[in-house]
Amino acid sequence: MFAGFLEYSIPQRARKKGLLELELHNLRDYSANRYKSVDDYPYGGGAGMVMSIEPIDRCISALKAERPYDEVIFTSPDARVLDQPMANGLSMCKNIIILCGHYKGVDERVREHLVTMEISIGDYVLSGGELAAAVIADAVIRLVPGVLGDETSALSDSFQDGLLSPPVYTRPPEYKGWKVPDVLLGGNDRLKAEWRYEKAVERTRERRPSLLEGQDASRQ
Ligand code: SAH
């Protein structure tokens, strides 16, 4: 599930530049039983299987023996939902483990004792944590200094300044009678910057007014 993500685009560029190392670990390799199983029936009954604590503990311990980790993150739909400030914080970390759940989830003791942070990617349930881990990794990797060619391009993305991004255009200046705003075609950089800011505020007010409230509160 990670192959495509790792081989293309920004994660691949980051790896080639030596700014990122991303290793996949199969919990089955840490299973102590001969069937290499990593799940078991839930105590108290109910549908679905639960991921056992032992392979997870053995895997995390083996990794921690090699290097310190800033966070051990568990992907879970009942956790706090990923946002840009969380991604910014994680981009400052050196080493992170992301644990992917499956089936009904993991034995609660994993969450109580082995995990330092939990992240959801939204209020819906996926069948496994892999896509969530890829989403988290992508959001974080592109913020690592040097990964994006033009660092300002990450800084001008939506949410970075508490505003959504303004609309963007490229050539041609007119297509089927649909025009690029005149101000962007002109030579006045100050007017262009003002236009972008106004559009960003307008778009945020229309689509995500709660962001403006947050910004106002933080400025007071
Ligand atoms: N029974 C659990 C869902 C298990 S889904 C519940 O109702 O909360 C199986 C695994 O997929 C989870 O352990 C988690 O690792 C991953 N997952 C599912 N939805 C997710 C989401 N929105 N964000 C992050 N991880 C998710």
Side-chain angles (χ1 to χ4, degrees):
M1 290 183 84
F2 281 95
F5 166 68
L6 289 178
E7 278 163 30
Y8 293 97
S9 190
I10 288 166
Q12 168 72 323
R13 215 192 305 163
R15 290 172 103 195
K16 282 201 173 139
K17 282 189 186 169
L19 296 169
L20 168 75
E21 282 176 50
L22 211 154
E23 299 290 335
L24 305 180
H25 305 276
N26 189 345
L27 289 172
R28 288 189 193 283
D29 297 339
Y30 298 87
S31 172
N33 70 45
R34 63 193 170 104
Y35 306 106
K36 300 282 171 212
S37 68
V38 292
D39 60 335
D40 210 334
Y41 294 99
Y43 277 123
M49 301 296 278
V50 174
M51 289 177 65
S52 315
I53 189 168
E54 194 184 4
I56 296 172
D57 186 31
R58 286 167 56 138
C59 179
I60 292 174
S61 300
L63 293 175
K64 280 186 171 172
E66 289 171 28
R67 64 190 76 75
Y69 283 89
D70 301 284
E71 300 285 358
V72 179
I73 299 169
F74 177 54
T75 53
S76 188
D78 61 9
R80 203 176 131 197
V81 176
L82 180 68
D83 60 15
Q84 199 62 30
M86 284 161 84
N88 287 341
L90 289 171
S91 74
M92 313 289 275
C93 293
K94 196 162 159 53
N95 299 308
I96 297 171
I97 292 173
I98 306 181
L99 173 64
C100 302
H102 253 264
Y103 319 113
K104 289 306 279 180
V106 298
D107 187 309
E108 188 67 15
R109 290 167 293 181
V110 170
R111 304 178 69 171
E112 287 168 358
H113 302 288
L114 304 180
V115 161
T116 62
M117 184 179 187
E118 301 189 331
I119 300 180
S120 164
I121 63 159
D123 288 348
Y124 40 80
V125 177
L126 305 166
S127 41
E130 290 84 356
L131 292 176
V135 167
I136 296 165
D138 190 276
V140 172
I141 291 162
R142 62 197 298 287
L143 294 171
V144 172
V147 167
L148 292 186
D150 177 2
E151 276 197 40
T152 59
S153 70
L155 293 178
S156 64
D157 282 334
S158 288
F159 307 113
Q160 282 298 12
D161 51 5
L163 292 175
L164 300 180
S165 277
V168 290
Y169 298 86
T170 184
R171 288 184 293 181
E174 183 172 341
Y175 180 75
K176 291 185 174 175
W178 304 324
K179 290 182 179 159
V180 172
D182 283 339
V183 58
L184 295 181
L185 303 175
N188 189 325
D189 287 342
R190 191 177 55 81
L191 281 183
K192 287 185 218 176
E194 276 173 17
W195 181 89
R196 279 197 295 266
Y197 181 72
E198 277 166 25
K199 289 291 171 189
V201 173
E202 189 181 302
R203 182 158 277 197
T204 311
R205 191 178 299 123
E206 278 169 17
R207 300 182 183 205
R208 299 292 297 276
S210 61
L211 288 176
L212 286 178
E213 285 155 24
Q215 194 189 37
D216 288 350
S218 67
R219 280 186 175 172
Q220 277 166 7

